[in-house]
Amino acid sequence: MAEPSTETIFNKPKIELHVHLDGAIRAETILDVAKRRGIKLNASSGKEMKHLCTVYQPVKMFAEFLAKFEEYMPVIAGDKEAIRRIAYEFVEDKSKEGVIYVEVRYSPHLLANTDVEPIPWKQEKGDVSPDDVVQLVNQGLAEGEKDFNIKARSILCCMRHMPNWSMKVVELCKKYKEDGVVGIDLAGDETINVRDQSCHRLAYEEAVRCGIHRTVHAGEMGPPSVVKEAVEVLKAERIGHGYNTLKDQVLYKQLREQNMHFETCPISSKLTGACDPDFTKHPLVTFRKDKVNYSLNTDDPLIFNSQLHVDYRTAHEYMGFTEEEFKRLNINSAKSSFLPEKEKKDLVNKLYEAYEMAMTLKFEQCLQ
Ligand SMILES: O=c1[nH]cnc2c1ncn2[C@@H]1O[C@H](CO)[C@@H](O)[C@H]1O
């Protein structure tokens, strides 16, 4: 195993495909907004705020991790300025991590306080609808793109426990397709028993019909059957996490043959309890050996008190990742992005250039 180091590993342009906007807010911003809105918090400094939001040890129940959002979402949700600001600051933070293209996801409903039933986070009814949220995030991302020279697109999340929101989510994906929204996701706790999933299914059917790209959180906490359902019923083109796919070797083989993309999040997978905390036993070790198509992502950097380079360093130190593998996975990430074909090609070429790789047949072959 390589020596632990504090250096930034793979200090080259990177792609990130799986990160939650509401899990990537600056602690100082939460404090600032709370002060402006007169919301009382159990923290008086950025450090204290961060401490409140952070999961330090693997949680026993996934719900414990999701409960962290309750600490701060009431501060940001329903506030137009705050929503625009977190999107803008997110782009700045990603540019500092060396990300040149990011797809950021969030639930428009969880940031709204009107036209949403029930109104989340025990807020009073206000004037920010899910549609307004998407416009505000789009504005923040677009301003960030201009100022920080990075490309940022978004994915709108349906929530497992809220099937009645899903049709609106796909409608918003359609409405803002030309305005930075590139796909739909299904997030939340896969292990809960939602009696009627038909609304999620209908929303994904509509996404297929309208050419909206699809990813689904599956096989993070849930069994391989959730991954199978994501691919076969919801027609997912990428899988969020997907670690438990390895528990069904037939499915794993099938997905490899399909070149399915897995959006993996190493640090997250330890702290949510999704994977063995011993990183040398992580599913990514198998993914790497098998030359699977996957990306490395932060998921919720606020809650894991982390940054993208920590995921890279972990992969390097405990999972045998080399510079060549980092290049390969980033090129695969670009190829699996939800950008239109022409933009995707440009992005892939940008990486080839940055990595000083000629697009030789040999390398193309090694990507397969
Ligand atoms: O790792 C995860 N697995 C499943 N759901 C998640 C994860 N991280 C965040 N969210 C959920 O997605 C919502 C929209 O961004 C978040 O509010 C959170 O509830």
Side-chain angles (χ1 to χ4, degrees):
M1 200 184 303
E3 283 296 301
S5 87
T6 49
E7 259 175 58
T8 302
I9 300 290
F10 198 60
N11 204 359
K12 295 201 161 60
K14 288 178 276 294
I15 310 294
E16 188 167 8
L17 300 180
H18 189 124
V19 51
H20 294 257
L21 179 62
D22 52 335
I25 304 171
R26 293 180 188 167
E28 294 76 14
T29 300
I30 299 167
L31 269 185
D32 233 36
V33 176
K35 205 182 279 169
R36 171 170 59 74
R37 296 182 76 185
I39 298 174
K40 273 220 155 350
L41 288 173
N42 289 325
S44 53
S45 67
K47 206 167 156 207
E48 280 177 23
M49 192 64 226
K50 205 165 224 169
H51 181 65
L52 271 186
C53 301
T54 300
V55 163
Y56 292 101
Q57 296 296 329
V59 293
K60 292 205 174 57
M61 302 272 298
F62 192 66
E64 248 179 84
F65 151 70
L66 289 177
K68 283 287 173 189
F69 288 83
E70 287 165 25
E71 297 283 353
Y72 61 89
M73 283 297 274
V75 176
I76 306 295
D79 189 272
K80 291 183 177 168
E81 196 185 313
I83 295 167
R84 200 184 300 112
R85 176 171 169 185
I86 61 166
Y88 178 82
E89 291 178 346
F90 170 83
V91 180
E92 180 174 24
D93 293 345
K94 285 297 146 190
S95 78
K96 286 187 180 151
E97 292 179 344
V99 173
I100 59 163
Y101 175 68
V102 63
E103 286 175 9
V104 62
R105 63 189 69 194
Y106 63 97
S107 156
H109 292 81
L110 288 178
L111 286 163
N113 62 8
T114 189
D115 290 351
V116 51
E117 178 52 45
I119 298 177
W121 319 113
K122 304 191 182 103
Q123 295 174 95
E124 300 281 304
K125 187 175 162 55
D127 63 351
V128 183
S129 67
D131 193 313
D132 296 326
V133 170
V134 178
Q135 291 185 38
L136 291 160
V137 172
N138 288 347
Q139 283 167 21
L141 296 180
E143 282 163 28
E145 280 190 301
K146 255 195 280 141
D147 290 355
F148 306 111
N149 190 29
I150 115 170
K151 196 160 183 154
R153 296 290 180 268
S154 58
I155 293 173
L156 305 185
C157 298
C158 304
M159 298 302 301
R160 288 260 177 205
H161 65 297
M162 282 296 164
N164 58 321
W165 293 351
S166 290
M167 278 319 286
K168 180 70 189 178
V169 175
V170 73
E171 290 306 322
L172 290 170
C173 290
K174 284 158 61 180
K175 183 169 176 188
Y176 294 104
K177 202 175 169 197
E178 301 305 319
D179 204 8
V181 176
V182 293
I184 191 166
D185 177 35
L186 176 54
D189 192 343
E190 308 165 58
T191 61
I192 54 161
N193 213 345
V194 181
R195 245 185 321 130
D196 189 3
Q197 297 274 359
S198 60
C199 291
H200 297 320
R201 205 185 61 235
L202 287 175
Y204 271 71
E205 272 172 18
E206 181 65 0
V208 172
R209 198 183 70 79
C210 300
I212 306 290
H213 288 295
R214 302 158 305 280
T215 179
V216 173
H217 278 75
E220 178 189 23
M221 305 306 296
S225 57
V226 183
V227 179
K228 204 173 161 69
E229 186 192 42
V231 177
E232 290 175 5
V233 180
L234 301 178
K235 311 287 179 207
E237 299 159 274
R238 300 196 318 230
I239 295 294
H241 304 276
Y243 318 115
N244 291 333
T245 310
L246 290 178
K247 293 179 179 159
D248 179 341
Q249 283 298 308
V250 175
L251 178 67
Y252 180 50
K253 183 167 180 286
Q254 179 199 322
L255 296 190
R256 277 167 61 198
E257 282 166 5
Q258 273 177 242
N259 196 33
M260 177 59 70
H261 181 90
F262 294 89
E263 304 159 354
T264 74
C265 313
I267 297 299
S268 155
S269 69
K270 173 182 171 175
L271 293 171
T272 58
C275 295
D276 191 317
D278 179 352
F279 282 121
T280 63
K281 296 189 182 127
H282 198 278
L284 255 172
V285 176
T286 307
F287 287 176
R288 176 183 64 72
K289 282 192 190 131
D290 292 342
K291 294 217 171 293
V292 168
N293 175 5
Y294 58 81
S295 47
L296 281 187
N297 308 279
T298 54
D299 204 11
D300 299 285
L302 168 67
I303 297 177
F304 306 128
N305 190 20
S306 192
Q307 286 182 354
L308 192 54
H309 72 88
V310 183
D311 291 279
Y312 275 70
R313 197 171 65 213
T314 302
H316 173 67
E317 286 175 4
Y318 300 101
M319 304 180 195
F321 277 58
T322 59
E323 174 109 348
E324 281 322 293
E325 183 60 11
F326 288 136
K327 288 179 181 174
R328 191 192 76 93
L329 80 88
N330 273 284
I331 288 167
N332 273 340
S333 305
K335 287 182 173 177
S336 305
S337 73
F338 288 159
L339 284 172
E341 284 308 313
K342 165 81 177 75
E343 288 179 58
K344 196 191 287 192
K345 235 187 208 149
D346 291 347
L347 182 64
V348 173
N349 284 335
K350 213 167 169 180
L351 290 185
Y352 279 128
E353 252 170 54
Y355 299 166
E356 295 177 342
M357 290 160 63
M359 263 223 277
T360 61
L361 187 59
K362 194 163 151 251
F363 189 76
E364 278 294 291
Q365 278 166 346
C366 93
L367 288 176
Q368 300 306 312

